[in-house]
Amino acid sequence: MFVESVVRWGLWSILLQFGLGVSAGGCTPRCLCRPEAKEVICSGKHLNSVPEALSSDARRLDLSRNRIKTVGRRQFSGLVKLQELDLSDNIISMIEVEAFLGLQNLRTLRIKNNRLKIIPVGVFSGLSSLNFLDLSQNEILVFLDYTFKEMVNLQTLEAGENDLVFISQRAFFGLQNLQELNLDRSNLTSIPTEALSQLQSLTRLRMLRLTISTLPNNAFRKLQHLRSLLITNWPALDTIAGNSLIGLNLTSLVISSCNLSAVPYSALRHLVYLRFLDLSYNPITVIQGNLLGDLLRLQELHLAGGSLLRIEPGAFRGLAYFRMLNVTSNQLTTLEESAFHSVGNLQVLRLDGNPLACDCRLLWVFRRRVRLNFDGHQPTCSSPDTVRQREFKDFLEKELPRVFTCRPARIMHRRPQEERVEEGTTVLFSCKADGDPSPSITWISSHKNVISPAGRIRVLPNGTLEVRFAQVQDSGTYQCLASNAAGNDTLTVSLYVKGLPRNRNMSLFTEEGLVEPSNTQAANSSAQMAKPYPFDAKTLIIATTMGFLSFLSSVAICFVFMFFWSQSKGQIKHTATIDFVPRSSMGGGGGDGGDGGRFTMKLI
Ligand SMILES: *[C@@H]1O[C@H](CO)[C@@H](O)[C@H](O)[C@H]1NC(C)=O
Ligand SMILES: *[C@@H]1O[C@H](CO)[C@@H](O)[C@H](O)[C@H]1NC(C)=O
Ligand SMILES: *[C@@H]1O[C@H](CO)[C@@H](O)[C@H](O)[C@H]1NC(C)=O
Ligand SMILES: *[C@@H]1O[C@H](CO)[C@@H](O)[C@H](O)[C@H]1NC(C)=O
Ligand SMILES: *[C@@H]1O[C@H](CO)[C@@H](O)[C@H](O)[C@H]1NC(C)=O
Ligand SMILES: *[C@@H]1O[C@H](CO)[C@@H](O)[C@H](O)[C@H]1NC(C)=O
Ligand SMILES: *[C@@H]1O[C@H](CO)[C@@H](O)[C@H](O)[C@H]1NC(C)=O
Ligand SMILES: *[C@@H]1O[C@H](CO)[C@@H](O)[C@H](O)[C@H]1NC(C)=O
């Protein structure tokens, strides 16, 4: 039986090779013709040129993997029924104008992996039925105006992996039905905005491996049917302008393996139909709270392989359909339930590959570990040490009272802190807190402002509050707030700053605390020119804020003015009282006193 079938098969294949090949009228000797399928297959036959006398009712012609160098004018003119032509993997460097004329039924044309450098206008004449065109892996440098002008039915254009440096503004003219365009790995230095704006039906645009560093405003205008934009492997891309995606109504956006250091919140804001967002492999460190809420329909966010340290509370607030978060391989220590609109909708969570602290903040994940789909990758604890390297599924329910717990924040070494100092001193108030996870320290002034880590009054990295060159108006109470996921603790300290002695009292202490003297009084000082510093501290501060230069030049103008004035009067004055108004030019005479200051001096 077996031998018989082998023999039969052998005969059949010999027949195929010779009998059929020869019997099909018009089949070139080196090709394999399948009349029943109306195919002519000449793939890998060492052909140097397109064979002559091809069967006129062929629907498919495969000339791939040969050594064809050129395609001449009207080369395929007899093949009116041809629907598919494959010229891939040859060494074609030249296609003459009107080469494909007569192929009015051609649907698919593949010229992938050849040596084309230029495509003269008119090469694609007559291809009005063409649906799919693959020009990838050539050496094309530019697309000239009107190159594709007659291809009204073209739906997919593969133009990737060329040396494209330029796409002329009207290159895509006529491609009114193009839906998919791939421009992978080209040498473009900017987005071909003008050319793309001709593609009014485009729904998918893919651009891999470009060296562009910025997506400028209005980069994709007029592409109102675009639904999917894929930008991947642009190692230099670090700027996405706020209005760069304006005009688009995307459902899927991928900007991965680029150099983004932040989520481009403002560029995304108007994409209210977006369902899929992938920002993986970008050095993004944080997903901020309450900034993605406009993406009402977002279902999936991928930010794998980034540099995420934090996902803030409220990060996904407003996203009622959010069902997949993929943040594998980042630097997250935790992911709090408060980040989500509702964790009830979350189905897939990739949290593996992060140095997770298994405390009360991750209890919600642990509780849902059976229902949640971890995509085959269980989250693993990194700390505390007792549970290091354990996967979530390894924990038993009865261990719960000991694991995934927190200790509320508690301020240590509590003692009343009250400082009474003179103006100009530097004061430190310490606030050290203990808890698990380790608490964050915030200082709040008596005016309920949160004190920042920079400035004259600042919070040092160890949580200590530092008031440098204390001013009278710094007096008051300050509150230290230590908080972590399990609770918070506060400590209040007081500071009294006494003004330095003056000609008259600068400040008054009353029962309520400090009362600032009014400016008019404070600015009154009767210093003499003879003294080395004729201005008091306040005047100096005002002078500094106006900028010394403008202050001095104003004073100089006053001097000059007064000099001429006294000359014109014919008598010499030896003293003068000068009023000055801070922040307004005194060139006009300095006569109006107002809220400014005044000093008396001798004229020489
Ligand atoms: C395009 O870029 C590639 C890789 O950077 C380079 O090798 C090639 O020479 C460039 N081509 C042109 C025409 O600039
Ligand atoms: C990515 O950005 C960083 C700074 O943000 C820069 O130092 C680095 O050179 C950039 N990488 C590339 C490939 O441009
Ligand atoms: C945006 O896209 C969605 C989904 O494809 C569609 O339902 C909606 O009508 C579009 N909106 C506009 C203004 O084109
Ligand atoms: C999450 O991202 C990783 C890395 O990109 C990918 O391999 C994985 O398939 C993604 N998971 C899901 C569920 O999409
Ligand atoms: C905090 O740091 C400052 C300066 O680095 C130091 O002077 C101070 O003693 C520190 N306080 C505590 C409580 O460690
Ligand atoms: C501090 O804790 C209390 C009770 O736990 C809570 O109501 C309050 O909002 C917390 N304050 C802050 C700033 O976290
Ligand atoms: C001014 O200060 C002195 C002591 O420095 C004090 O005796 C006097 O009462 C103060 N004057 C007013 C108006 O408060
Ligand atoms: C301001 O200075 C003038 C003299 O230069 C003096 O007569 C006046 O009493 C002072 N006013 C106050 C509030 O000190």
Side-chain angles (χ1 to χ4, degrees), residues 57-85:
D57 44 79
R59 298 250 173 89
R60 178 165 179 262
L61 172 57
D62 184 350
L63 292 169
S64 63
R65 299 194 294 119
N66 284 296
R67 310 211 36 90
I68 300 171
K69 283 203 184 77
T70 60
V71 181
R73 190 150 183 254
R74 300 191 185 221
Q75 186 99 60
F76 306 95
S77 57
L79 305 177
V80 279
K81 296 200 176 140
L82 201 64
Q83 295 183 356
E84 189 177 337
L85 173 58

PDB file of all heavy atoms in Angstrom, residues 57-85:
ATOM      1  N   ASP A  57      -4.763  34.579 -19.479  1.00  0.00           N
ATOM      2  CA  ASP A  57      -5.823  34.578 -18.477  1.00  0.00           C
ATOM      3  C   ASP A  57      -5.303  34.328 -17.059  1.00  0.00           C
ATOM      4  O   ASP A  57      -6.074  33.976 -16.172  1.00  0.00           O
ATOM      5  CB  ASP A  57      -6.976  33.638 -18.828  1.00  0.00           C
ATOM      6  CG  ASP A  57      -6.498  32.307 -19.324  1.00  0.00           C
ATOM      7  OD1 ASP A  57      -6.108  31.468 -18.511  1.00  0.00           O
ATOM      8  OD2 ASP A  57      -6.495  32.141 -20.532  1.00  0.00           O
ATOM      9  N   ALA A  58      -4.026  34.515 -16.859  1.00  0.00           N
ATOM     10  CA  ALA A  58      -3.480  34.350 -15.508  1.00  0.00           C
ATOM     11  C   ALA A  58      -4.078  35.401 -14.575  1.00  0.00           C
ATOM     12  O   ALA A  58      -4.257  36.553 -14.952  1.00  0.00           O
ATOM     13  CB  ALA A  58      -1.972  34.479 -15.534  1.00  0.00           C
ATOM     14  N   ARG A  59      -4.404  34.952 -13.363  1.00  0.00           N
ATOM     15  CA  ARG A  59      -4.890  35.888 -12.344  1.00  0.00           C
ATOM     16  C   ARG A  59      -3.771  36.271 -11.388  1.00  0.00           C
ATOM     17  O   ARG A  59      -3.794  37.330 -10.789  1.00  0.00           O
ATOM     18  CB  ARG A  59      -5.999  35.208 -11.513  1.00  0.00           C
ATOM     19  CG  ARG A  59      -7.199  34.820 -12.320  1.00  0.00           C
ATOM     20  CD  ARG A  59      -8.383  35.712 -11.956  1.00  0.00           C
ATOM     21  NE  ARG A  59      -9.497  35.468 -12.840  1.00  0.00           N
ATOM     22  CZ  ARG A  59     -10.432  34.554 -12.602  1.00  0.00           C
ATOM     23  NH1 ARG A  59     -10.384  33.811 -11.503  1.00  0.00           N
ATOM     24  NH2 ARG A  59     -11.409  34.380 -13.461  1.00  0.00           N
ATOM     25  N   ARG A  60      -2.798  35.337 -11.253  1.00  0.00           N
ATOM     26  CA  ARG A  60      -1.723  35.581 -10.293  1.00  0.00           C
ATOM     27  C   ARG A  60      -0.389  35.282 -10.960  1.00  0.00           C
ATOM     28  O   ARG A  60      -0.233  34.222 -11.579  1.00  0.00           O
ATOM     29  CB  ARG A  60      -1.936  34.688  -9.070  1.00  0.00           C
ATOM     30  CG  ARG A  60      -0.863  34.819  -8.031  1.00  0.00           C
ATOM     31  CD  ARG A  60      -1.259  34.225  -6.683  1.00  0.00           C
ATOM     32  NE  ARG A  60      -0.134  34.398  -5.778  1.00  0.00           N
ATOM     33  CZ  ARG A  60       0.754  33.446  -5.515  1.00  0.00           C
ATOM     34  NH1 ARG A  60       0.617  32.241  -6.021  1.00  0.00           N
ATOM     35  NH2 ARG A  60       1.779  33.711  -4.735  1.00  0.00           N
ATOM     36  N   LEU A  61       0.546  36.204 -10.854  1.00  0.00           N
ATOM     37  CA  LEU A  61       1.879  35.997 -11.423  1.00  0.00           C
ATOM     38  C   LEU A  61       2.911  36.266 -10.337  1.00  0.00           C
ATOM     39  O   LEU A  61       2.963  37.364  -9.772  1.00  0.00           O
ATOM     40  CB  LEU A  61       2.074  36.948 -12.624  1.00  0.00           C
ATOM     41  CG  LEU A  61       3.475  37.017 -13.241  1.00  0.00           C
ATOM     42  CD1 LEU A  61       3.939  35.635 -13.699  1.00  0.00           C
ATOM     43  CD2 LEU A  61       3.488  37.993 -14.423  1.00  0.00           C
ATOM     44  N   ASP A  62       3.720  35.231 -10.077  1.00  0.00           N
ATOM     45  CA  ASP A  62       4.719  35.353  -9.013  1.00  0.00           C
ATOM     46  C   ASP A  62       6.107  35.348  -9.635  1.00  0.00           C
ATOM     47  O   ASP A  62       6.564  34.323 -10.141  1.00  0.00           O
ATOM     48  CB  ASP A  62       4.549  34.177  -8.035  1.00  0.00           C
ATOM     49  CG  ASP A  62       5.485  34.295  -6.838  1.00  0.00           C
ATOM     50  OD1 ASP A  62       6.386  35.165  -6.868  1.00  0.00           O
ATOM     51  OD2 ASP A  62       5.321  33.520  -5.879  1.00  0.00           O
ATOM     52  N   LEU A  63       6.761  36.485  -9.604  1.00  0.00           N
ATOM     53  CA  LEU A  63       8.118  36.599 -10.164  1.00  0.00           C
ATOM     54  C   LEU A  63       9.131  36.874  -9.050  1.00  0.00           C
ATOM     55  O   LEU A  63      10.223  37.382  -9.309  1.00  0.00           O
ATOM     56  CB  LEU A  63       8.159  37.741 -11.189  1.00  0.00           C
ATOM     57  CG  LEU A  63       7.369  37.521 -12.479  1.00  0.00           C
ATOM     58  CD1 LEU A  63       7.278  38.811 -13.285  1.00  0.00           C
ATOM     59  CD2 LEU A  63       8.009  36.426 -13.316  1.00  0.00           C
ATOM     60  N   SER A  64       8.780  36.524  -7.851  1.00  0.00           N
ATOM     61  CA  SER A  64       9.660  36.856  -6.726  1.00  0.00           C
ATOM     62  C   SER A  64      10.918  35.987  -6.728  1.00  0.00           C
ATOM     63  O   SER A  64      10.971  34.949  -7.368  1.00  0.00           O
ATOM     64  CB  SER A  64       8.902  36.679  -5.409  1.00  0.00           C
ATOM     65  OG  SER A  64       8.523  35.337  -5.237  1.00  0.00           O
ATOM     66  N   ARG A  65      11.921  36.428  -5.997  1.00  0.00           N
ATOM     67  CA  ARG A  65      13.184  35.720  -5.805  1.00  0.00           C
ATOM     68  C   ARG A  65      13.862  35.365  -7.131  1.00  0.00           C
ATOM     69  O   ARG A  65      14.234  34.237  -7.399  1.00  0.00           O
ATOM     70  CB  ARG A  65      12.967  34.463  -4.938  1.00  0.00           C
ATOM     71  CG  ARG A  65      12.442  34.824  -3.553  1.00  0.00           C
ATOM     72  CD  ARG A  65      12.525  33.682  -2.574  1.00  0.00           C
ATOM     73  NE  ARG A  65      11.640  32.606  -2.956  1.00  0.00           N
ATOM     74  CZ  ARG A  65      12.034  31.370  -3.255  1.00  0.00           C
ATOM     75  NH1 ARG A  65      13.299  31.051  -3.180  1.00  0.00           N
ATOM     76  NH2 ARG A  65      11.169  30.455  -3.582  1.00  0.00           N
ATOM     77  N   ASN A  66      13.972  36.345  -8.019  1.00  0.00           N
ATOM     78  CA  ASN A  66      14.733  36.174  -9.252  1.00  0.00           C
ATOM     79  C   ASN A  66      15.804  37.248  -9.313  1.00  0.00           C
ATOM     80  O   ASN A  66      16.137  37.837  -8.275  1.00  0.00           O
ATOM     81  CB  ASN A  66      13.778  36.258 -10.446  1.00  0.00           C
ATOM     82  CG  ASN A  66      12.978  34.976 -10.597  1.00  0.00           C
ATOM     83  OD1 ASN A  66      13.540  33.922 -10.854  1.00  0.00           O
ATOM     84  ND2 ASN A  66      11.668  35.070 -10.391  1.00  0.00           N
ATOM     85  N   ARG A  67      16.338  37.490 -10.511  1.00  0.00           N
ATOM     86  CA  ARG A  67      17.382  38.501 -10.637  1.00  0.00           C
ATOM     87  C   ARG A  67      16.969  39.575 -11.640  1.00  0.00           C
ATOM     88  O   ARG A  67      17.768  40.069 -12.433  1.00  0.00           O
ATOM     89  CB  ARG A  67      18.715  37.852 -11.030  1.00  0.00           C
ATOM     90  CG  ARG A  67      19.062  36.669 -10.140  1.00  0.00           C
ATOM     91  CD  ARG A  67      20.530  36.412  -9.899  1.00  0.00           C
ATOM     92  NE  ARG A  67      21.379  37.573  -9.797  1.00  0.00           N
ATOM     93  CZ  ARG A  67      21.648  38.205  -8.652  1.00  0.00           C
ATOM     94  NH1 ARG A  67      21.093  37.815  -7.527  1.00  0.00           N
ATOM     95  NH2 ARG A  67      22.456  39.235  -8.655  1.00  0.00           N
ATOM     96  N   ILE A  68      15.706  39.897 -11.609  1.00  0.00           N
ATOM     97  CA  ILE A  68      15.175  40.892 -12.544  1.00  0.00           C
ATOM     98  C   ILE A  68      15.715  42.274 -12.172  1.00  0.00           C
ATOM     99  O   ILE A  68      15.679  42.655 -10.999  1.00  0.00           O
ATOM    100  CB  ILE A  68      13.629  40.878 -12.520  1.00  0.00           C
ATOM    101  CG1 ILE A  68      13.127  39.493 -12.925  1.00  0.00           C
ATOM    102  CG2 ILE A  68      13.055  41.967 -13.419  1.00  0.00           C
ATOM    103  CD1 ILE A  68      11.650  39.290 -12.740  1.00  0.00           C
ATOM    104  N   LYS A  69      16.222  43.002 -13.173  1.00  0.00           N
ATOM    105  CA  LYS A  69      16.832  44.309 -12.914  1.00  0.00           C
ATOM    106  C   LYS A  69      15.911  45.463 -13.263  1.00  0.00           C
ATOM    107  O   LYS A  69      15.905  46.480 -12.593  1.00  0.00           O
ATOM    108  CB  LYS A  69      18.108  44.462 -13.747  1.00  0.00           C
ATOM    109  CG  LYS A  69      19.307  43.721 -13.226  1.00  0.00           C
ATOM    110  CD  LYS A  69      20.570  44.396 -13.785  1.00  0.00           C
ATOM    111  CE  LYS A  69      21.843  43.682 -13.394  1.00  0.00           C
ATOM    112  NZ  LYS A  69      22.065  42.450 -14.212  1.00  0.00           N
ATOM    113  N   THR A  70      15.192  45.315 -14.378  1.00  0.00           N
ATOM    114  CA  THR A  70      14.339  46.430 -14.804  1.00  0.00           C
ATOM    115  C   THR A  70      12.969  45.909 -15.218  1.00  0.00           C
ATOM    116  O   THR A  70      12.812  44.744 -15.592  1.00  0.00           O
ATOM    117  CB  THR A  70      14.933  47.187 -16.012  1.00  0.00           C
ATOM    118  OG1 THR A  70      15.056  46.253 -17.077  1.00  0.00           O
ATOM    119  CG2 THR A  70      16.279  47.795 -15.708  1.00  0.00           C
ATOM    120  N   VAL A  71      12.016  46.803 -15.143  1.00  0.00           N
ATOM    121  CA  VAL A  71      10.681  46.501 -15.641  1.00  0.00           C
ATOM    122  C   VAL A  71      10.381  47.563 -16.695  1.00  0.00           C
ATOM    123  O   VAL A  71      10.405  48.754 -16.399  1.00  0.00           O
ATOM    124  CB  VAL A  71       9.635  46.541 -14.512  1.00  0.00           C
ATOM    125  CG1 VAL A  71       8.260  46.208 -15.052  1.00  0.00           C
ATOM    126  CG2 VAL A  71      10.015  45.575 -13.400  1.00  0.00           C
ATOM    127  N   GLY A  72      10.145  47.080 -17.919  1.00  0.00           N
ATOM    128  CA  GLY A  72       9.994  48.022 -19.035  1.00  0.00           C
ATOM    129  C   GLY A  72       8.577  48.548 -19.171  1.00  0.00           C
ATOM    130  O   GLY A  72       7.651  48.114 -18.486  1.00  0.00           O
ATOM    131  N   ARG A  73       8.419  49.428 -20.138  1.00  0.00           N
ATOM    132  CA  ARG A  73       7.136  50.051 -20.418  1.00  0.00           C
ATOM    133  C   ARG A  73       6.144  48.995 -20.918  1.00  0.00           C
ATOM    134  O   ARG A  73       6.482  48.152 -21.738  1.00  0.00           O
ATOM    135  CB  ARG A  73       7.369  51.128 -21.473  1.00  0.00           C
ATOM    136  CG  ARG A  73       6.227  52.007 -21.692  1.00  0.00           C
ATOM    137  CD  ARG A  73       6.726  53.395 -22.127  1.00  0.00           C
ATOM    138  NE  ARG A  73       5.587  54.263 -22.280  1.00  0.00           N
ATOM    139  CZ  ARG A  73       5.110  54.652 -23.463  1.00  0.00           C
ATOM    140  NH1 ARG A  73       5.703  54.270 -24.575  1.00  0.00           N
ATOM    141  NH2 ARG A  73       4.049  55.411 -23.513  1.00  0.00           N
ATOM    142  N   ARG A  74       4.931  49.013 -20.442  1.00  0.00           N
ATOM    143  CA  ARG A  74       3.852  48.097 -20.832  1.00  0.00           C
ATOM    144  C   ARG A  74       4.289  46.644 -20.822  1.00  0.00           C
ATOM    145  O   ARG A  74       3.880  45.851 -21.674  1.00  0.00           O
ATOM    146  CB  ARG A  74       3.320  48.452 -22.207  1.00  0.00           C
ATOM    147  CG  ARG A  74       2.777  49.849 -22.248  1.00  0.00           C
ATOM    148  CD  ARG A  74       2.029  50.087 -23.529  1.00  0.00           C
ATOM    149  NE  ARG A  74       1.627  51.485 -23.564  1.00  0.00           N
ATOM    150  CZ  ARG A  74       0.448  51.903 -23.978  1.00  0.00           C
ATOM    151  NH1 ARG A  74      -0.445  51.040 -24.386  1.00  0.00           N
ATOM    152  NH2 ARG A  74       0.154  53.176 -23.976  1.00  0.00           N
ATOM    153  N   GLN A  75       5.093  46.279 -19.890  1.00  0.00           N
ATOM    154  CA  GLN A  75       5.659  44.944 -19.792  1.00  0.00           C
ATOM    155  C   GLN A  75       4.577  43.870 -19.620  1.00  0.00           C
ATOM    156  O   GLN A  75       4.734  42.756 -20.051  1.00  0.00           O
ATOM    157  CB  GLN A  75       6.610  44.910 -18.591  1.00  0.00           C
ATOM    158  CG  GLN A  75       7.385  43.627 -18.445  1.00  0.00           C
ATOM    159  CD  GLN A  75       8.787  43.743 -18.999  1.00  0.00           C
ATOM    160  OE1 GLN A  75       9.576  44.548 -18.555  1.00  0.00           O
ATOM    161  NE2 GLN A  75       9.097  42.924 -19.986  1.00  0.00           N
ATOM    162  N   PHE A  76       3.496  44.224 -18.990  1.00  0.00           N
ATOM    163  CA  PHE A  76       2.475  43.212 -18.680  1.00  0.00           C
ATOM    164  C   PHE A  76       1.183  43.470 -19.449  1.00  0.00           C
ATOM    165  O   PHE A  76       0.109  43.070 -19.034  1.00  0.00           O
ATOM    166  CB  PHE A  76       2.173  43.229 -17.176  1.00  0.00           C
ATOM    167  CG  PHE A  76       3.389  43.075 -16.317  1.00  0.00           C
ATOM    168  CD1 PHE A  76       4.053  44.183 -15.803  1.00  0.00           C
ATOM    169  CD2 PHE A  76       3.881  41.805 -16.031  1.00  0.00           C
ATOM    170  CE1 PHE A  76       5.175  44.033 -15.010  1.00  0.00           C
ATOM    171  CE2 PHE A  76       5.003  41.653 -15.240  1.00  0.00           C
ATOM    172  CZ  PHE A  76       5.662  42.772 -14.728  1.00  0.00           C
ATOM    173  N   SER A  77       1.281  44.101 -20.616  1.00  0.00           N
ATOM    174  CA  SER A  77       0.078  44.655 -21.236  1.00  0.00           C
ATOM    175  C   SER A  77      -0.959  43.600 -21.609  1.00  0.00           C
ATOM    176  O   SER A  77      -2.142  43.888 -21.617  1.00  0.00           O
ATOM    177  CB  SER A  77       0.448  45.498 -22.456  1.00  0.00           C
ATOM    178  OG  SER A  77       1.165  44.695 -23.353  1.00  0.00           O
ATOM    179  N   GLY A  78      -0.554  42.344 -21.895  1.00  0.00           N
ATOM    180  CA  GLY A  78      -1.551  41.335 -22.270  1.00  0.00           C
ATOM    181  C   GLY A  78      -2.354  40.789 -21.106  1.00  0.00           C
ATOM    182  O   GLY A  78      -3.361  40.105 -21.304  1.00  0.00           O
ATOM    183  N   LEU A  79      -1.916  41.046 -19.909  1.00  0.00           N
ATOM    184  CA  LEU A  79      -2.479  40.328 -18.761  1.00  0.00           C
ATOM    185  C   LEU A  79      -3.659  41.081 -18.143  1.00  0.00           C
ATOM    186  O   LEU A  79      -3.649  41.431 -16.971  1.00  0.00           O
ATOM    187  CB  LEU A  79      -1.388  40.103 -17.715  1.00  0.00           C
ATOM    188  CG  LEU A  79      -0.131  39.397 -18.233  1.00  0.00           C
ATOM    189  CD1 LEU A  79       0.922  39.297 -17.140  1.00  0.00           C
ATOM    190  CD2 LEU A  79      -0.469  38.019 -18.750  1.00  0.00           C
ATOM    191  N   VAL A  80      -4.693  41.277 -18.911  1.00  0.00           N
ATOM    192  CA  VAL A  80      -5.810  42.090 -18.432  1.00  0.00           C
ATOM    193  C   VAL A  80      -6.512  41.479 -17.226  1.00  0.00           C
ATOM    194  O   VAL A  80      -7.180  42.178 -16.476  1.00  0.00           O
ATOM    195  CB  VAL A  80      -6.855  42.339 -19.546  1.00  0.00           C
ATOM    196  CG1 VAL A  80      -6.398  43.450 -20.440  1.00  0.00           C
ATOM    197  CG2 VAL A  80      -7.111  41.058 -20.307  1.00  0.00           C
ATOM    198  N   LYS A  81      -6.393  40.135 -17.074  1.00  0.00           N
ATOM    199  CA  LYS A  81      -7.112  39.494 -15.972  1.00  0.00           C
ATOM    200  C   LYS A  81      -6.279  39.421 -14.693  1.00  0.00           C
ATOM    201  O   LYS A  81      -6.770  38.950 -13.664  1.00  0.00           O
ATOM    202  CB  LYS A  81      -7.535  38.080 -16.379  1.00  0.00           C
ATOM    203  CG  LYS A  81      -8.519  38.107 -17.530  1.00  0.00           C
ATOM    204  CD  LYS A  81      -9.285  36.819 -17.618  1.00  0.00           C
ATOM    205  CE  LYS A  81     -10.323  36.932 -18.732  1.00  0.00           C
ATOM    206  NZ  LYS A  81     -10.406  35.667 -19.484  1.00  0.00           N
ATOM    207  N   LEU A  82      -5.034  39.842 -14.801  1.00  0.00           N
ATOM    208  CA  LEU A  82      -4.135  39.691 -13.650  1.00  0.00           C
ATOM    209  C   LEU A  82      -4.651  40.475 -12.439  1.00  0.00           C
ATOM    210  O   LEU A  82      -5.006  41.644 -12.547  1.00  0.00           O
ATOM    211  CB  LEU A  82      -2.728  40.171 -14.028  1.00  0.00           C
ATOM    212  CG  LEU A  82      -1.598  39.627 -13.151  1.00  0.00           C
ATOM    213  CD1 LEU A  82      -1.510  38.104 -13.297  1.00  0.00           C
ATOM    214  CD2 LEU A  82      -0.278  40.263 -13.518  1.00  0.00           C
ATOM    215  N   GLN A  83      -4.679  39.777 -11.308  1.00  0.00           N
ATOM    216  CA  GLN A  83      -5.132  40.421 -10.065  1.00  0.00           C
ATOM    217  C   GLN A  83      -4.007  40.603  -9.064  1.00  0.00           C
ATOM    218  O   GLN A  83      -4.076  41.465  -8.203  1.00  0.00           O
ATOM    219  CB  GLN A  83      -6.252  39.590  -9.430  1.00  0.00           C
ATOM    220  CG  GLN A  83      -7.488  39.558 -10.282  1.00  0.00           C
ATOM    221  CD  GLN A  83      -8.611  38.796  -9.640  1.00  0.00           C
ATOM    222  OE1 GLN A  83      -8.454  38.226  -8.574  1.00  0.00           O
ATOM    223  NE2 GLN A  83      -9.750  38.770 -10.300  1.00  0.00           N
ATOM    224  N   GLU A  84      -2.991  39.725  -9.171  1.00  0.00           N
ATOM    225  CA  GLU A  84      -1.929  39.792  -8.179  1.00  0.00           C
ATOM    226  C   GLU A  84      -0.575  39.635  -8.860  1.00  0.00           C
ATOM    227  O   GLU A  84      -0.382  38.699  -9.628  1.00  0.00           O
ATOM    228  CB  GLU A  84      -2.143  38.671  -7.147  1.00  0.00           C
ATOM    229  CG  GLU A  84      -1.226  38.789  -5.956  1.00  0.00           C
ATOM    230  CD  GLU A  84      -1.511  37.720  -4.909  1.00  0.00           C
ATOM    231  OE1 GLU A  84      -2.639  37.180  -4.874  1.00  0.00           O
ATOM    232  OE2 GLU A  84      -0.587  37.423  -4.140  1.00  0.00           O
ATOM    233  N   LEU A  85       0.333  40.536  -8.593  1.00  0.00           N
ATOM    234  CA  LEU A  85       1.664  40.479  -9.201  1.00  0.00           C
ATOM    235  C   LEU A  85       2.704  40.648  -8.103  1.00  0.00           C
ATOM    236  O   LEU A  85       2.651  41.603  -7.324  1.00  0.00           O
ATOM    237  CB  LEU A  85       1.790  41.600 -10.251  1.00  0.00           C
ATOM    238  CG  LEU A  85       3.166  41.820 -10.893  1.00  0.00           C
ATOM    239  CD1 LEU A  85       3.654  40.549 -11.576  1.00  0.00           C
ATOM    240  CD2 LEU A  85       3.110  42.968 -11.904  1.00  0.00           C
TER     241      LEU A  85
END
